[in-house]
Amino acid sequence: MRLLLVEDDDRIARFVAKGLREQAYAVDVVATGEDALYQTAINSYDLIILDVMIPEKNGFEVCRELRRSGQRTPVLMLTARDSLEDRITGLDHGADDYLTKPFEFRELLARLRALLRRSGELRPAQIVVSDLVLDTGAQAVSRGGRTIPLTTKEYALLEFLARNAGRVVGRAEIAEHVWDESFDPFSNLIEVYVNRVRRKIDVHGAKPLLHTRRGAGYFFGVAAEGAAESREADAAPQGRARGNTPGRKSHA
């Protein structure tokens, strides 16, 4: 899941972004209303965490403009303004929920999960594909009763693929939802992580679940008999993956 955090307090922004990334979310961070509108125009987000007291355009104005433009991304207002009138104003401008500072990080996570469940599709706590089981709350994965250890980013990739099981997803779609704006679209990082995940889940004679569709992307699930697929490694180009190259990239 890819989130946009709009927060001008650098200390709070670092704390929240770090915690969210540890929970396998990809997070972009901006500090102003104008930057928030720019990012939502060029990127696809699963949820927006929006502070009210931000420079240029405040959170109420940003939320109103998002809704007027047709954006239906869930918005969680995160602010120190906790009066009844402020809460009503935020909700009337299109916010989906309102959390006041200071807050417990566990409550923020719970509210995010609730909003994501209400965002147009059922997001079950447990995802089952064949004999592979993902517990999204504990971020635990097992296959055939065997626990599979995954890094945070490996889990994020696998969860996205599992939520889209049964259809082909391309690199651009994976980058939009699993990586943040620092992702280098010219790197082979997605292929590297796909291979890591494949080596961990498709072992011990188990029926392959992660398939490459050459020129299209990746298919997760049990492939139909005779379906054209590639099981060769997604050969990484010579040299190191450059996925941590800094810079603002658009995945629109």
Side-chain angles (χ1 to χ4, degrees):
M1 300 294 163
R2 187 177 182 187
L3 313 181
L4 177 64
L5 172 61
V6 188
E7 171 60 69
D8 66 326
D9 186 315
D10 188 57
R11 181 183 61 83
I12 294 176
R14 287 198 308 271
F15 166 75
V16 174
K18 180 177 183 293
L20 291 173
R21 287 166 181 151
E22 289 174 351
Q23 295 296 314
Y25 293 104
V27 185
D28 293 342
V29 182
V30 296
T32 72
E34 290 292 352
D35 283 345
L37 291 171
Y38 173 76
Q39 288 295 328
T40 55
I42 65 171
N43 295 313
S44 174
Y45 292 103
D46 296 291
L47 190 141
I48 300 168
I49 302 173
L50 179 61
D51 187 28
V52 171
M53 301 301 292
I54 51 177
E56 298 172 6
K57 295 185 177 181
N58 66 35
F60 295 144
E61 295 172 309
V62 170
C63 193
R64 183 175 61 240
E65 290 198 26
L66 288 174
R67 297 312 185 217
R68 283 178 175 173
S69 69
Q71 288 261 9
R72 292 293 175 261
T73 306
V75 173
L76 170 64
M77 288 284 193
L78 185 64
T79 177
R81 295 174 61 167
D82 60 352
S83 71
L84 176 61
E85 289 303 317
D86 285 331
R87 294 198 298 274
I88 291 173
T89 300
L91 295 171
D92 283 347
H93 279 71
D96 297 275
D97 200 357
Y98 206 103
L99 182 61
T100 59
K101 305 172 185 175
F103 58 88
E104 286 283 344
F105 191 72
R106 290 180 302 165
E107 182 181 3
L108 173 64
L109 292 175
R111 288 176 181 267
L112 294 182
R113 290 193 296 268
L115 286 175
L116 289 169
R117 285 196 299 270
R118 302 203 302 261
S119 63
E121 63 176 289
L122 180 63
R123 297 178 186 270
Q126 189 177 81
I127 305 172
V128 180
V129 180
S130 185
D131 58 345
L132 184 136
V133 179
L134 286 89
D135 182 334
T136 61
Q139 295 187 3
V141 179
S142 64
R143 184 167 190 192
R146 177 180 64 89
T147 299
I148 300 175
L150 297 172
T151 66
T152 299
K153 187 57 72 176
E154 288 169 352
Y155 172 82
L157 172 61
L158 180 58
E159 181 181 325
F160 179 75
L161 292 171
R163 288 191 186 278
N164 291 277
R167 73 179 186 88
V168 176
V169 294
R171 291 182 83 259
E173 192 174 356
I174 292 172
E176 282 183 352
H177 293 277
V178 181
W179 270 267
D180 58 26
E181 66 177 349
S182 65
F183 177 74
D184 179 359
F186 299 105
S187 78
N188 66 324
L189 197 60
I190 291 176
E191 289 78 6
V192 169
Y193 273 91
V194 165
N195 276 325
R196 289 180 183 175
V197 170
R198 177 180 283 146
R199 285 196 297 268
K200 291 184 177 183
I201 66 171
D202 290 345
V203 295
H204 304 308
K207 197 158 190 175
L209 292 178
L210 182 46
H211 312 273
T212 301
R213 296 288 189 256
R214 293 298 181 188
Y218 301 97
F219 176 90
F220 192 78
V222 178
E225 290 296 328
E229 62 182 272
S230 172
R231 288 286 301 151
E232 304 109 59
D234 296 284
Q238 294 297 319
R240 299 173 58 187
R242 297 182 290 112
N244 293 326
T245 302
R248 298 167 70 93
K249 301 292 181 182
S250 167
H251 304 303

